[in-house]
Amino acid sequence: WADKADFFALGTNDLFASVIGLERNEEAGSSQGDHCHPGFLSILSSAIDHAHASGKPITVCGELASDPLGATFLASCNVTAISVSVQRLHPILRVLNSLDETLLNDFGINFKKLTKASEVRNMLLKSIQLNMK
């Protein structure tokens, strides 16, 4: 599809629900799993890499983009843009503006070695805290 598309847009809520095998609007879907699970992030990272390889911009929206840790992950993947609600914009910008490119690159390489969402969240949180001091 890349040669026919002008851009890519990924909705993390729908993608996450599909990955864990639930309907997006199922009540159980909101409490199942964690958007920062390394398996889900690997799928997302691969899609982002394919968009980059095609030379097309990629925008990501949804809960992952609206979470400061998720937005940090997306920055480590060099997404073109994220879409978040106005209420979440200031905290996301504050975090993203504080990030160090070297730490982002390190995270982008090392997150694939992790096996739990809690490990991903801890690694992201440490990189944010290092830069906000």
Side-chain angles (χ1 to χ4, degrees):
W1 298 340
D3 59 335
K4 295 175 179 36
D6 293 328
F7 63 92
F8 289 95
L10 284 175
T12 59
N13 297 355
D14 290 332
L15 182 59
F16 185 74
S18 294
V19 166
I20 64 171
L22 292 174
E23 291 288 328
R24 178 180 189 221
N25 295 325
E26 281 186 50
E27 201 170 304
S30 62
S31 63
Q32 296 290 319
D34 187 328
H35 285 85
C36 282
H37 189 281
F40 176 66
L41 297 182
S42 290
I43 292 168
L44 195 56
S45 175
S46 177
I48 293 166
D49 288 346
H50 286 296
H52 288 313
S54 72
K56 305 295 168 84
I58 182 162
T59 299
V60 179
C61 67
E63 289 301 315
L64 186 72
S66 296
D67 173 359
L69 296 179
T72 300
F73 166 76
L74 295 170
S76 79
C77 294
N78 296 311
V79 297
T80 309
I82 60 173
S83 176
V84 301
S85 68
V86 173
Q87 296 86 350
R88 300 226 179 142
L89 184 60
H90 182 70
I92 298 294
L93 285 175
R94 186 170 158 250
V95 167
L96 292 179
N97 286 331
S98 75
L99 295 175
D100 176 86
E101 191 172 335
T102 303
L103 288 174
L104 280 179
N105 290 337
D106 289 346
F107 176 79
I109 294 166
N110 293 320
F111 92 90
K112 294 178 181 178
K113 299 173 188 170
L114 304 176
T115 60
K116 297 177 184 170
S118 60
E119 295 170 338
V120 171
R121 287 187 174 280
N122 286 337
M123 185 181 235
L124 286 168
L125 191 56
K126 284 178 187 173
S127 68
I128 290 171
Q129 290 172 340
L130 286 174
N131 290 310
M132 295 189 98
K133 288 184 178 181

